Amino acid sequence: MTSQLFAICFNATRPPDLARFWSGFLGWELADGQEDDLAILPPDGKGFRIRFLPGREPKTGQNRAHFDLTSASPEAQARTVGRALELGGSHIDVGQLPEEGHVVLADPDGNEFCVIEAGNNFLADTGFIGALACDGSREVGHFWSGALRWPLVWDQDQETAIQSPDGGTKITWGGPPVASKTGTNRLHFELALPAGADWEAEVDRLVSLGATRTDIGEGDGVRALMLDPDGNEFSVRRPV
């Protein structure tokens, strides 16, 4: 059976603070868990959760991935920005132009996200988290399409995007040039398999698609640690 996107994970300097920010901002419920393993759950129980894991590495440069949040109207966009600022977010400058309609913010741990202006057709009907926008190659977009068996909904000019057959958040890759990777990514995917699935066979399938396993001889037995074709970390949980 194919892996499912179980969680988008943030390595955070202060996981409880970051979990509270995103829980309040998105309106997602905090799951029961230890302070070093916090997660928030989508209201409808469908799709991915967001996990907040302890990370010691300081942030250097922009993340390779960030959320694009949708707006139904200019007023709704302003309310979303205001709510983020009230909860501890901040405006940041990543080189955006004054005439661009989206607003670039950072959460309390410095992770970038964008509040997109109303009328964005590409993100129509995706939900509030319209996309996880990633810096990445066309190859990695095709890898993740095969890994998750999510269809490509965009494949043009080296830019790619995938979306679950059930709809919801898109995952996009902007194509070259892909920024050099320095250290461990702050955001990464965690995949999971249904109960009874063959975990080793799935890990082998991901390797055949272009992933690299990095935990040989040092894994924790609960998950396989891997890299996608662009060198981004991800993990595959063993079935419970």
Side-chain angles (χ1 to χ4, degrees), residues 106-134:
D107 68 20
D109 213 24
N111 301 298
E112 306 86 2
F113 63 97
C114 294
V115 184
I116 306 300
E117 66 274 21
N120 185 295
N121 292 329
F122 181 70
L123 299 181
D125 301 321
T126 56
F128 184 50
I129 303 180
L132 181 71
C134 305

Side-chain angles (χ1 to χ4, degrees), residues 16-238:
D17 293 345
L18 203 59
R20 282 191 291 271
F21 170 83
W22 283 102
S23 175
F25 182 50
L26 297 176
W28 289 22
E29 182 180 354
L30 268 169
D32 294 334
Q34 303 298 318
E35 192 166 289
D36 61 351
D37 185 12
L38 296 171
I40 59 175
L41 309 177
D44 59 5
K46 299 178 181 178
F48 58 84
R49 61 183 59 196
I50 302 176
R51 295 183 66 204
F52 304 92
L53 308 174
R56 297 181 180 179
E57 290 190 23
K59 188 172 187 298
T60 57
Q62 294 180 31
N63 290 338
R64 271 192 165 187
H66 68 269
F67 287 133
D68 282 343
L69 308 174
T70 61
S71 305
S73 66
E75 294 77 16
Q77 183 185 26
R79 287 194 298 271
T80 297
V81 171
R83 185 166 71 253
L85 298 176
E86 289 172 2
L87 292 170
S90 58
H91 286 281
I92 57 170
D93 183 358
V94 296
Q96 68 270 29
L97 300 175
E99 62 268 22
E100 293 178 315
H102 63 278
V103 179
V104 184
L105 302 171
D107 68 20
D109 213 24
N111 301 298
E112 306 86 2
F113 63 97
C114 294
V115 184
I116 306 300
E117 66 274 21
N120 185 295
N121 292 329
F122 181 70
L123 299 181
D125 301 321
T126 56
F128 184 50
I129 303 180
L132 181 71
C134 305
D135 187 16
S137 65
R138 181 173 183 264
E139 178 187 7
V140 85
H142 280 256
F143 165 80
W144 281 108
S145 177
L148 296 173
R149 291 199 169 99
W150 287 13
L152 283 159
V153 294
W154 183 264
D155 187 5
Q156 186 172 316
D157 300 327
Q158 299 297 309
E159 297 176 353
T160 49
I162 63 175
Q163 187 179 32
S164 166
D166 299 324
T169 302
K170 294 178 177 178
I171 306 176
T172 70
W173 292 270
V178 178
S180 298
K181 186 171 181 290
T182 57
T184 302
N185 286 339
R186 276 196 155 198
L187 276 71
H188 66 272
F189 297 153
E190 184 174 19
L191 310 186
L193 286 163
D198 188 331
W199 181 73
E200 289 288 357
E202 176 63 2
V203 170
D204 289 343
R205 184 184 75 90
L206 295 169
V207 169
S208 74
L209 291 173
T212 304
R213 187 164 179 175
T214 66
D215 69 342
I216 301 299
E218 58 185 64
D220 60 7
V222 177
R223 56 186 58 81
L225 307 179
M226 309 188 77
L227 301 175
D228 72 16
D230 277 357
N232 301 301
E233 300 85 4
F234 71 97
S235 63
V236 186
R237 296 165 61 100
R238 281 187 181 273

